[in-house]
Amino acid sequence: LPTGIQPGIAQQIDIMPTILGLVGYDKPYVAFGKNLFSTPTEETWAVNFQNDIYQLIKGDYLIQFDGRETKAIYRFREDSLLKHNLLQSHPQPVLEKELKAIIQSYMQRMNGDELVIKN
């Protein structure tokens, strides 16, 4: 890997905060992504919504959440085909809570027209 880049999880929404960090931008802005050069690897994550299921990938786990409850948990690094649902044996309440917070924050900002910093 190039100098300064850690092997973490990245997604498209990380581009803006990473570039703003590189150019030294220090004014407030709204972003759900992270500056990949200043975020510890264990704090990187990716979220998506596919086939009516939210997915959060963080650390070694991928959780699938239908908006009401967690439907599946996988160790995606070892189980890339997502064949072994660990929901019963390895529940991840912290990851579910984090995913709910991301969804709630996004929805509140969208509904409140707060995706930019207002003067």
Side-chain angles (χ1 to χ4, degrees):
L1 291 174
T3 304
I5 296 180
Q6 300 298 316
I9 297 167
Q11 58 187 327
Q12 194 169 7
I13 63 174
D14 296 323
I15 294 171
M16 184 184 80
T18 300
I19 290 173
L20 291 176
L22 285 172
V23 299
Y25 187 82
D26 62 355
K27 294 179 177 60
Y29 62 89
V30 175
F32 286 92
K34 302 278 188 179
N35 177 342
L36 297 173
F37 288 106
S38 65
T39 303
T41 300
E42 63 274 3
E43 292 179 26
T44 61
W45 51 272
V47 68
N48 63 52
F49 184 74
Q50 179 177 318
N51 298 326
D52 294 326
I53 297 288
Y54 295 95
Q55 294 189 127
L56 173 65
I57 302 166
K58 187 172 182 183
D60 293 330
Y61 292 98
L62 177 150
I63 69 166
Q64 296 179 336
F65 179 75
D66 71 357
R68 290 184 305 275
E69 64 183 351
T70 297
K71 293 296 190 178
I73 298 170
Y74 302 98
R75 281 185 165 266
F76 77 95
R77 294 180 196 272
E78 299 168 6
D79 181 15
S80 61
L81 298 178
L82 309 180
K83 298 273 187 190
H84 306 288
N85 185 349
L86 304 173
L87 182 60
Q88 300 305 319
S89 60
H90 290 82
Q92 297 292 317
V94 172
L95 289 182
E96 181 179 316
K97 186 175 180 179
E98 285 184 40
L99 179 54
K100 286 178 180 179
I102 293 165
I103 295 166
Q104 181 179 14
S105 178
Y106 178 78
M107 293 301 184
Q108 284 178 339
R109 285 190 173 280
M110 286 294 289
N111 291 331
D113 192 24
E114 298 173 345
L115 289 173
V116 295
I117 301 294
K118 295 181 181 178
N119 296 330

